[in-house]
Amino acid sequence: MSLLALYDPALRGRADASALEVEDVTGVRTFTFGALDARSDRLAAAFRARGVGAGDRVALLLANRLEFLDAWLALMKLGAIAVPMNVLYKGREIGHIVNDAAPVAVVTTPDRAADLPVGAVLWDVDTLTSEADGLATQRPTVSLEEGTPAALVYTSGTTGLAKGAVLTHGNFAANARALVSAWRITAEDRYLAVLPLFHVHGLGNGIQSWLATGCHLRLATRFRQEAALDWFEGYRPTLFFGVPTMYVRLLEAPIDRARAIGAGVRLFVSGSAPLPAQVLEEFADRFGHRILERYGMTETLMNVSNPYDGERRAGTVGHPLPGVDVEIRDASGGAVPDGTSGELWVRGPNVCAGYWQRPDATAAAFVDGWFRTGDLGVRDAADGYITLQGRRSDVIISGGFNIYPREVEELLTTMPGVREAAVAARPDAVRGEVPVAYVVCDDAVDLAEVEAWLREQVASFKVPRAFHRVMALPRTALGKVQKHLLAGLVS
Ligand code: MLC
Ligand code: AMP
């Protein structure tokens, strides 16, 4: 199914229904589905006038705002490919994605010009929008299929260099349909969207569930703890998706406000990082709701979910979603018995078509139609609940954002006087994990200067929260750094 076929019961079938409430500098604005359909027809015409056609990539470097939704819809209508980018990325990170995806242009705000690589074309989102205002409201006639790529979403491998997961119309549609059925989402729902739209949690789950059901959306620029309670009280959502860090922050709500908010919400979902069992229980006490935890990833969208009815078991992610096959396999690819740890392999209409122009990486990740997730887990022999147990790689997940230590380590060792560097996770009560650096360097090196320099190179969440000077890195006989021993060096 193409995304337009999925969206049309809302865009056209519920054209007069209220669709969206979004805040901008002028205040809160509201739109019907028909108005959004018309806006994106006009923007599609503006894109086309600037040369965008089917299969072309257009990068979006935008915070959550109305125009992100317009651009997504317009690009889908044109059969073009959206390349959402994390707004926290700096020039080096953006440069890699832009050079790899080779978009026609990057839609953003003019203040980001200095972050784009030489030769990249910047389209000012506001100019584009005013240009679209004067154009005809006519949907482009483009043939869209299940396999038509909809987005390249960049995600890093163990190499630290981000690769574009090619997510098709069929992938997004299958994921949306699975969530709508598993989580009973209907047109009656009111969804409070605080997750960034540049990652699949916000874009693949939130936006697609909204458009697939024609429910109501309130889009916030980003999650802000100090505003979150007011949003819940003012908007009265029935549906909320968040990363564990958001739930930890919500636990600070006064009990009476928490109870009243919980009474109005139908479903709270958590994912992107492990939800500590204690947070789930404390949230249940405070808000009167058991958070539903699920498991997904950029390349596969959602795979496994706790049940809507039935036990939402703390520390587990539940059962495979409808249409998704999950197997737990050993290092040689053989299935392991229930109760035994292994790597999760996934197959289904939700799994991406491969990595953009990376046949090597695609071949390494896919075996006989199965995608190797790199996540480790175990299935309960009695009732099939899956528990995640960590990852094959040493990726750090902080506040739901992924950090590849190798990327940061390689940058650190480019600094004069830094001989070796290792970056490892430190547990953190709010963000789950935070990165910490262990550096072997000359006495003359000023670690504060190293940190300041790094802050200009990478997104803020990747900058280690502590820099420790160490004599040497602990290594195995084969020379591999033993990351689990690093914390012991400085305690
Ligand atoms: C944080 N910052 C943001 C931001 N989140 N800026 C813009 N947009 C966002 N979404 C900036 C802040 O301005 C600040 O910058 C710094 O980051 C830290 O902010 P904070 O308020 O102290 O952050 P914190 O309280 O830690 O909360 C952060 C958070 C954020 C939870 C709001 O981490 C977040 O939005 N996480 C969601 C990540 C996500 O969507 N992951 C899904 C990946 S898909 P400064 O300059 O002041 O330091 C995936 C698959 C799956 O994993 O299964 O879902
Ligand atoms: P990303 O590459 O940003 O899409 O991150 C995907 C990764 O997030 C997965 O491979 C998992 O390691 C992790 N993840 C997602 N959901 C959960 C969860 N509920 N519990 C633990 N880890 C999760």
Side-chain angles (χ1 to χ4, degrees):
M1 176 186 250
S2 85
L3 284 173
L4 287 196
L6 181 77
Y7 300 161
D8 271 341
L11 289 182
R12 290 183 162 165
R14 292 173 53 75
D16 294 332
S18 178
L20 169 70
E21 184 176 311
V22 60
E23 220 170 295
D24 66 15
V25 283
T26 62
V28 176
R29 301 171 71 192
T30 57
F31 298 88
T32 61
F33 284 106
L36 293 176
D37 195 22
R39 284 180 66 89
S40 51
D41 281 349
R42 291 193 291 266
L43 185 60
F47 276 138
R48 178 163 273 175
R50 290 184 178 212
V52 177
D56 285 338
R57 277 81 57 214
V58 174
L60 306 176
L61 181 60
L62 294 171
N64 290 0
R65 51 186 284 178
L66 168 67
E67 293 78 9
F68 190 113
L69 302 174
D70 292 336
W72 174 262
L73 285 169
L75 294 173
M76 294 309 105
K77 289 177 174 180
L78 287 168
I81 308 175
V83 186
M85 290 193 285
N86 190 325
V87 293
L88 297 172
Y89 282 170
K90 302 281 167 59
R92 209 184 42 82
E93 295 151 313
I94 292 168
H96 167 68
I97 296 176
V98 170
N99 290 331
D100 192 69
V104 178
V106 181
V107 178
T108 187
T109 44
D111 59 308
R112 298 304 304 253
D115 293 321
L116 304 194
V118 177
V121 175
L122 183 155
W123 285 349
D124 176 354
V125 61
D126 292 320
T127 310
L128 201 57
T129 306
S130 352
E131 200 169 297
D133 281 346
L135 299 177
T137 305
Q138 195 176 18
R139 185 178 285 191
T141 44
V142 176
S143 107
L144 300 169
E145 324 237 317
E146 194 124 328
T148 305
L152 303 184
V153 184
Y154 278 77
T155 176
S156 302
T158 40
T159 54
L161 263 192
K163 308 183 286 282
V166 181
L167 288 162
T168 64
H169 280 245
N171 295 147
F172 282 109
N175 183 64
R177 292 164 88 183
L179 299 189
V180 166
S181 113
W183 299 345
R184 314 268 203 281
I185 305 170
T186 70
E188 302 305 310
D189 273 309
R190 292 169 67 75
Y191 167 56
L192 174 60
V194 300
L195 287 158
L197 299 183
F198 47 73
H199 278 322
V200 302
H201 196 166
L203 179 65
N205 294 8
I207 297 309
Q208 309 309 317
S209 297
W210 164 56
L211 291 170
T213 57
C215 70
H216 195 269
L217 171 77
R218 192 209 196 275
L219 182 66
T221 313
R222 54 165 303 222
F223 179 81
R224 282 188 295 117
Q225 183 178 10
E226 60 291 358
L229 299 186
D230 292 341
W231 292 337
F232 274 103
E233 288 162 349
Y235 178 59
R236 303 190 63 75
T238 59
L239 191 59
F240 182 80
F241 299 163
V243 295
T245 303
M246 295 173 183
Y247 289 105
V248 172
R249 298 232 182 262
L250 287 173
L251 284 179
E252 287 173 29
I255 186 78
D256 50 332
R257 294 183 77 183
R259 278 280 150 178
I261 287 169
V265 176
R266 182 179 67 78
L267 180 65
F268 288 97
V269 180
S270 175
S272 309
L275 180 70
Q278 190 200 343
V279 175
L280 184 144
E281 301 297 350
E282 282 180 23
F283 194 87
D285 281 349
R286 219 166 177 76
F287 286 81
H289 263 279
R290 279 186 89 73
I291 298 167
L292 185 153
E293 182 172 8
R294 59 48 177 191
Y295 154 68
M297 65 191 298
T298 300
E299 290 93 329
T300 64
L301 304 174
M302 299 304 111
N303 297 315
V304 182
S305 168
N306 266 284
Y308 186 80
D309 296 317
E311 187 193 358
R312 299 180 191 167
R313 191 176 298 171
T316 81
V317 286
H319 302 111
L321 280 159
V324 182
D325 294 324
V326 177
E327 283 191 359
I328 301 191
R329 308 234 187 150
D330 63 22
S332 56
V336 302
D338 283 348
T340 308
S341 298
E343 181 183 352
L344 275 77
W345 292 39
V346 174
R347 186 176 65 180
N350 54 313
V351 179
C352 73
Y355 293 109
W356 179 250
Q357 293 182 341
R358 290 288 306 273
D360 53 331
T362 304
F366 287 86
V367 181
D368 297 334
W370 289 85
F371 178 78
R372 307 183 54 172
T373 64
D375 288 309
L376 306 176
V378 60
R379 189 194 323 253
D380 188 285
D383 52 25
Y385 277 73
I386 294 172
T387 301
L388 297 177
Q389 297 172 308
R391 295 172 295 274
R392 214 176 46 191
S393 72
D394 57 1
V395 59
I396 300 168
I397 306 186
S398 189
F401 287 127
N402 289 9
I403 302 159
Y404 289 84
R406 172 114 172 247
E407 179 188 15
V408 181
E409 290 161 358
E410 281 174 6
L411 280 169
L412 287 172
T413 49
T414 64
M415 287 294 281
V418 175
R419 293 195 291 275
E420 289 185 297
V423 173
R426 184 175 76 196
D428 183 83
V430 174
R431 296 194 174 93
E433 297 178 327
V434 291
V436 172
Y438 301 84
V439 183
V440 183
C441 59
D442 299 344
D443 290 344
V445 171
D446 178 348
L447 288 178
E449 274 172 24
V450 171
E451 177 178 351
W453 173 80
L454 194 62
R455 199 164 281 284
E456 290 166 13
Q457 307 297 314
V458 293
S460 56
F461 58 87
K462 297 183 189 174
V463 178
R465 290 300 181 264
F467 286 77
H468 298 292
R469 196 183 284 271
V470 296
M471 299 297 291
L473 299 178
R475 290 183 184 274
T476 63
L478 294 174
K480 191 170 161 13
V481 175
Q482 295 171 293
K483 292 211 166 171
H484 62 287
L485 298 180
L486 288 168
L489 294 181
V490 296
S491 59

